[in-house]
Amino acid sequence: MFENLSERLSGVFDRLTKQGALSEDDVKTALREVRVALLEADVSLPVARDFVKAVQDKATGQAVTKSVTPGQQVVKIVHDELVHVLAGDNPAPGELKVDNPPAPILMVGLQGSGKTTTTAKIAKRLQEKDHKKVLMASLDTNRPAAMEQLQILGQQIGVDTLPIQPGQTAQQIAKRAKQQATLGGYDVYMLDTAGRLHIDEELIRQAAEVRDIATPRETLLVVDGLTGQDAVNVAEAFDRDIGVSGVVLTRMDGDGRGGAALSMRAVTGKPIKFVGLGEKMDALEEFHPERIAGRILG
Ligand code: GDP
């Protein structure tokens, strides 16, 4: 396993002479270690560089407090800055705009990212925690199995799904979901759009058409948190072409160190709303910047 950042830094500072304040050289040496730790946590290089620069400005000249070692002090500065970047101006990550019923939520993302699972997890949460009546609809006309998967998950968690009508286009299904949500007195309807292995024109066109029909209150992008820089590229493309209001990072129960979260925030500026922590229907958590910061630091 990786040596964690505190251990690394205490090593660095042990070799340096003790001074009253963190000198520029001390900080520089320490920040080389910080940069390596960030890269090992899968933070992209430009983001790691900018981050280290920001920390350098904050740390240089800071008085060394008596109660902590210089290493611990730099770790604290790094931790606080990580939380600051990760949190952004998003004080309540798990909250979704679902007033004005029926409120549409558009779910987008690549195939295999965990989109259908996450749709059901969020529906369950809205129903149980926020007492919303939720309708889910699968728009994945290319993959009947994906439609059935959503239906099965709906039965499991006690959330209604729009009945499957073979032969309909995604747009027709979106219109039917809207109608059903209105007639059925639903608070929220969730549209699980088709995913593909890569972003292509057809995927984007379909998602954009559905967006124009539903005018969603939230457009949530589901990305695999283990894919690092790819996750950021996917988010940039979806945001440019569809417009994204929030991100859900899945597979954060895996071995990854969570660096994708930092890159995602720094590059796209989009709030991370939830993290997926497993396959089960309750393995969804609202995003806690401190937990991810702790994980990145190791
Ligand atoms: P979709 O193609 O994007 O709709 O992906 P699915 O929802 O079908 O998910 C693909 C696989 O990933 C399934 O086996 C899910 O159970 C699994 N999965 C989804 N989210 C998570 C997560 O947060 N953690 C883990 N470990 N597995 C997940």
Side-chain angles (χ1 to χ4, degrees), residues 156-174:
Q156 248 178 48
I157 59 176
V159 171
D160 293 343
T161 46
L162 189 73
I164 297 172
Q165 273 184 24
Q168 285 204 317
T169 63
Q171 291 91 311
Q172 286 170 329
I173 300 171

Side-chain angles (χ1 to χ4, degrees), residues 88-144:
D89 50 6
N90 183 27
E95 273 174 30
L96 298 172
K97 289 198 203 92
V98 286
D99 45 346
N100 293 342
I105 299 182
L106 189 65
M107 303 295 293
V108 297
L110 293 183
Q111 188 177 319
S113 61
K115 186 164 42 59
T116 299
T117 310
T118 305
T119 301
K121 285 176 176 177
I122 292 177
K124 180 173 190 279
R125 182 185 155 103
L126 284 169
Q127 195 154 287
E128 287 178 1
K129 185 171 166 287
D130 303 319
H131 310 292
K132 300 287 184 194
K133 187 177 172 193
V134 183
L135 177 71
M136 305 188 290
S138 171
L139 276 54
D140 201 340
T141 50
N142 301 323
R143 291 194 308 145

